[in-house]
C-alpha cells in the first residue's frame, strides 16, 4: 500500500532518527572534546575523501539527467563544493580546516593515507548514484535532512573544546548551515513527488538507509584505526606524517 506524502516523509525522517551518524560514538567523542589531536587529524583526512567525491558524485548524476530543470536545480551542489566566483567552495574550506589542525593541505588533498574502508564506502556511494535509478540517487542525498543539526552541534562542540577552532577553520560547517537546507528542500520534494508507488517508496527508503550506512561505516573505520586500541591498516595515515611544517 502506498503511503501518503506525509506518511512517507515521516518514514524517511525516522530513518535519520535511528541511523544517522550523529549517533556514532566517534562524533560524541569529537564534539565533546575527547578526541586527541591525531584523532581529529585522522577524521579531517578521511572526511576530505568524502568531501572531494561529492561533486564527482553529483557530476555523475547530472550526466544521466535529461530534464534541464533538474540539471539546473542540481548544478549548485557542484559549485557549493568546487567553488565559483564569489564562493571559494567547500573543498577549499575543508583544506583550511586541515591546515588549522596542523596538517599539510597538499598532503590531505593528495588523499594519501585515507583508510581503505573510507575509500570503499565513498566509492560505493559514487557508484550507487551513477548506476541506480534517479529516484534512488536523489533519495540517497536526503541525509542532508539531518545535516544542519550535526553541523550546529559540531560548531558549538569544536569551539568549546579545541584551540584550533575559530570562524576561519569552521567556515565549511557554517556555510553548510545555509547551503544544505536549500538542497534538501528540493531533493525531498522531488522524491515525494516521484516515489508514487509503494515499490518506489521502498526503493527510496532503502537508498537513504544505504547512505546512512556509508556515513556510519566511515566512522567505524576511524574508530577501529585510531581510537584505542588503535589498529592502523597498511598504507593508512600514520600520526606524525603529513603535518604542516609548523606542526611537525
Amino acid at each position: 500500500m502506498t503511503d501518503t506524502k506525509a506518511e512517507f516523509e515521516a518514514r524517511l525522517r525516522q530513518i535519520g532518527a535511528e541511523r544517522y551518524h550523529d549517533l556514532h560514538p566517534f562524533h560524541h567523542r569529537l564534539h565533546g572534546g575527547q578526541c586527541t589531536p591525531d584523532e581529529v587529524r585522522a577524521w579531517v583526512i578521511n572526511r576530505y575523501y568524502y568531501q572531494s567525491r561529492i561533486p564527482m558524485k553529483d557530476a555523475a548524476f547530472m550526466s544521466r539527467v535529461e530534464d534541464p530543470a533538474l540539471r539546473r536545480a542540481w548544478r549548485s551542489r557542484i559549485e557549493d563544493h568546487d567553488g565559483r566566483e564569489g564562493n571559494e567552495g567547500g573543498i577549499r574550506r575543508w583544506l583550511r580546516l586541515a591546515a588549522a589542525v596542523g596538517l599539510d593541505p597538499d598532503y590531505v588533498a593528495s588523499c594519501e593515507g585515507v583508510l581503505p574502508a573510507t575509500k570503499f564506502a565513498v566509492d560505493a556511494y559514487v557508484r550507487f548514484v551513477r548506476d541506480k535509478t534517479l529516484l534512488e540517487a536523489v533519495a540517497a542525498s536526503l541525509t542532508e535532512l539531518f545535516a544542519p543539526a550535526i553541523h550546529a552541534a559540531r560548531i558549538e562542540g569544536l569551539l568549546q573544546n579545541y584551540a584550533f577552532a575559530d570562524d576561519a577553520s569552521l567556515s565549511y560547517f557554517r556555510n553548510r548551515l545555509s547551503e544544505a537546507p536549500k538542497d534538501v528542500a528540493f531533493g525531498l520534494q522531488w522524491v515525494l513527488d516521484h516515489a508514487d508507488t509503494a515499490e518506489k517508496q521502498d526503493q527510496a527508503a532503502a537508498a537513504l538507509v544505504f547512505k546512512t550506512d556509508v556515513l556510519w561505516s566511515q566512522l567505524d573505520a576511524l574508530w577501529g584505526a585510531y581510537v584505542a586500541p588503535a589498529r592502523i591498516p597498511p598504507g593508512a595515515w600514520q600520526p606524525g606524517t603529513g603535518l604542516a611544517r609548523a606542526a611537525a
Side-chain angles (χ1 to χ4, degrees):
M1 182 176 177
T2 306
D3 290 337
T4 66
K5 287 184 178 181
E7 290 169 338
F8 184 49
E9 179 177 347
R11 178 181 173 189
L12 295 174
R13 291 185 181 278
Q14 187 62 30
I15 291 171
E18 295 174 355
R19 305 178 66 102
Y20 192 54
H21 65 163
D22 61 337
L23 301 173
H24 197 284
F26 188 90
H27 274 159
H28 294 301
R29 185 178 179 88
L30 176 66
H31 299 169
Q34 299 165 338
C35 278
T36 67
D38 282 334
E39 289 168 4
V40 174
R41 289 167 180 156
W43 170 68
V44 169
I45 289 167
N46 281 271
R47 181 73 182 191
Y48 175 82
Y49 190 75
Y50 174 77
Q51 302 300 152
S52 69
R53 267 49 186 177
I54 292 298
M56 296 168 63
K57 175 268 299 183
D58 289 325
F61 173 79
M62 287 179 60
S63 73
R64 303 166 53 217
V65 174
E66 297 181 0
D67 179 8
L70 179 54
R71 288 199 303 269
R72 283 194 301 272
W74 212 261
R75 190 180 304 150
S76 66
R77 294 170 181 252
I78 296 177
E79 294 176 341
D80 285 346
H81 282 80
D82 283 348
R84 58 184 179 274
E85 186 175 355
N87 179 1
E88 65 180 338
I91 290 176
R92 187 167 294 180
R93 293 188 189 100
W94 195 269
L95 292 175
R96 187 181 302 122
L97 172 63
V101 302
L103 291 164
D104 178 354
D106 289 338
Y107 173 82
V108 176
S110 75
C111 295
E112 294 180 29
V114 173
L115 289 165
T118 300
K119 292 182 179 179
F120 286 137
V122 174
D123 292 349
Y125 178 42
V126 176
R127 288 194 300 271
F128 184 95
V129 172
R130 183 191 66 201
D131 297 339
K132 292 289 187 175
T133 66
L134 295 184
L135 174 63
E136 289 168 297
V138 176
S141 76
L142 293 183
T143 48
E144 292 172 338
L145 280 167
F146 324 114
I150 198 173
H151 290 324
R154 183 169 296 149
I155 290 168
E156 180 180 1
L158 296 183
L159 284 172
Q160 288 180 355
N161 295 299
Y162 299 95
F164 70 81
D166 57 24
D167 286 344
S169 63
L170 303 185
S171 61
Y172 173 83
F173 308 112
R174 292 198 185 280
N175 276 268
R176 290 307 294 166
L177 289 175
S178 60
E179 292 170 348
K182 67 177 175 59
D183 291 340
V184 78
F186 175 86
L188 176 60
Q189 191 59 54
W190 199 91
V191 168
L192 294 177
D193 289 342
H194 288 79
D196 52 6
T197 67
E199 180 182 9
K200 289 180 179 178
Q201 288 178 345
D202 288 345
Q203 289 176 339
L208 183 55
V209 167
F210 167 80
K211 177 62 180 305
T212 61
D213 288 346
V214 167
L215 296 172
W216 192 279
S217 62
Q218 292 177 65
L219 296 181
D220 272 353
L222 276 172
W223 190 279
Y226 296 105
V227 180
R231 297 181 300 277
I232 303 174
W237 178 72
Q238 292 285 343
T241 63
L243 300 182
R245 187 165 300 175

